[in-house]
Amino acid sequence: MTVELGKYGVWGPAAHWAGRGEDAAELEGLGFGALWLGGSPDGSVMGTVSALLDATEKITVATGIMNVWTTPAAEVNDGYRALAWTDRFLVGIGVGHREIVGEVYHSPYQKLVHYLDELDVPRDRLALAALGPRVLRLAAARTSVAHPYLVTPEYTARAREAVGAGVLLAPEQHVVLEEDPSRARELGRKALELYLGLPNHTRNWLRHGFSEDDLLGGGSDRLVDALVAWGPVERVARRLREHHEAGADHVAVQVVGATDDQRALRDIAAAVED
């Protein structure tokens, strides 16, 4: 049975979730179906996963992602076995970025294939970070969830075509609850700064209609507006729904630039409520 994610989840850096069991329980009560622990964590994140599972009753806790270069498959297997008592743990893996991992990074597609071969985690408890068509197809063949990051609803539509109907599609969406265009784009550019230096992302954006000029100067307004949903909460909610209309099963919401992300998530939960 495929893991339950619900229509919307919350994505945050792994360190962000440490000691936030009460916040996680509130998000569960607001209707979010998954908590994504982001930032290429290693096996040490399992303590946070366990604490969040203990603090909640229904919500799925997902790693987004375990880095295949820095986290041995045996370590992931051990972590999964320790949490085999629950069906609410989703093991998300991915290759990360050469610019962060370093010289060990080579032949990333083959690394993913070999790593999946070494894992002793059921397919229905596996997610794969995927951007390009080959890795999207690998996600569909070997895991239950494809998890693209920093993408548009137009990308989601193409990703759905690539993966077919047999896998959950769970894109991440950056969100800024700010109505002033200049301030919203400033916050959006700050959030995109790291990713503009990572070719895995920039190549993906170029594949999907952006130009080299869009990548300059911290990102064009066109790029920022496409990758970061900003504005009043109703407008942000409309962008989240557009991913579903394009074929997403689940959208992982990442609030950026907020002094109180929990309050922002309360507002978002109310706006997307069916």
Side-chain angles (χ1 to χ4, degrees):
M1 180 178 176
T2 302
V3 68
E4 293 290 334
L5 295 178
K7 290 186 70 175
Y8 298 101
V10 179
W11 198 106
H16 167 91
W17 294 110
R20 295 190 64 176
E22 290 186 6
D23 288 341
E26 182 189 12
L27 295 174
E28 177 179 71
L30 291 171
F32 290 105
L35 303 176
W36 293 84
L37 281 63
S40 275
D42 58 24
S44 64
V45 78
M46 290 299 184
T48 302
V49 171
S50 183
L52 292 171
L53 289 167
D54 287 343
T56 55
E57 297 179 357
K58 300 180 295 183
I59 203 164
T60 294
V61 179
T63 55
I65 56 164
M66 294 287 218
N67 190 299
V68 300
W69 306 103
T70 60
T71 313
E75 195 171 316
V76 177
N77 291 337
D78 289 344
Y80 174 77
R81 280 192 290 270
L83 296 172
W85 55 268
T86 179
D87 60 1
R88 296 191 290 124
F89 177 39
L90 181 66
V91 178
I93 66 166
V95 295
H97 305 276
R98 184 190 304 274
E99 294 71 23
I100 295 173
V101 173
E103 293 182 1
V104 68
Y105 190 105
H106 65 92
S107 305
Y109 182 83
Q110 290 305 317
K111 175 66 173 180
L112 277 177
V113 172
H114 294 153
Y115 196 89
L116 287 164
D117 290 341
E118 294 177 329
L119 285 182
D120 186 22
V121 178
R123 175 177 172 175
D124 63 1
R125 293 293 176 266
L126 276 174
L128 182 59
L131 286 176
R134 226 173 30 143
V135 180
L136 283 167
R137 291 192 294 270
L138 182 64
R142 300 289 301 272
T143 76
S144 66
V145 182
H147 180 48
Y149 184 90
L150 263 181
V151 295
T152 65
E154 293 77 15
Y155 169 94
T156 294
R158 295 173 187 172
R160 172 52 71 194
E161 292 179 3
V163 300
V167 65
L168 294 180
L169 183 58
E172 177 273 350
Q173 175 66 62
H174 274 40
V175 165
V176 171
L177 291 187
E178 171 59 60
E179 298 187 32
D180 177 74
S182 295
R183 178 60 177 157
R185 288 175 177 139
E186 178 187 355
L187 293 170
R189 284 191 174 90
K190 185 175 180 180
L192 295 180
E193 185 177 7
L194 169 67
Y195 304 101
L196 283 163
L198 300 176
N200 285 353
H201 285 293
T202 57
R203 281 195 298 264
N204 187 56
W205 301 334
L206 293 173
R207 276 196 302 267
H208 290 275
F210 295 99
S211 70
E212 294 283 357
D213 287 344
D214 286 314
L215 307 181
L216 301 177
S220 67
D221 286 354
R222 175 177 177 242
L223 183 72
V224 173
D225 293 352
L227 296 176
V228 181
W230 60 265
V233 69
E234 295 81 6
R235 180 167 148 190
V236 166
R238 186 162 60 247
R239 173 74 66 84
L240 300 177
R241 293 190 188 99
E242 286 172 358
H243 279 285
H244 282 289
E245 292 164 2
D249 299 287
H250 171 88
V251 182
V253 179
Q254 181 176 184
V255 174
V256 298
T259 54
D260 187 347
D261 62 301
Q262 196 78 1
R263 179 178 178 179
L265 289 165
R266 292 186 198 112
D267 292 341
I268 291 168
V272 299
E273 195 173 35
D274 290 332

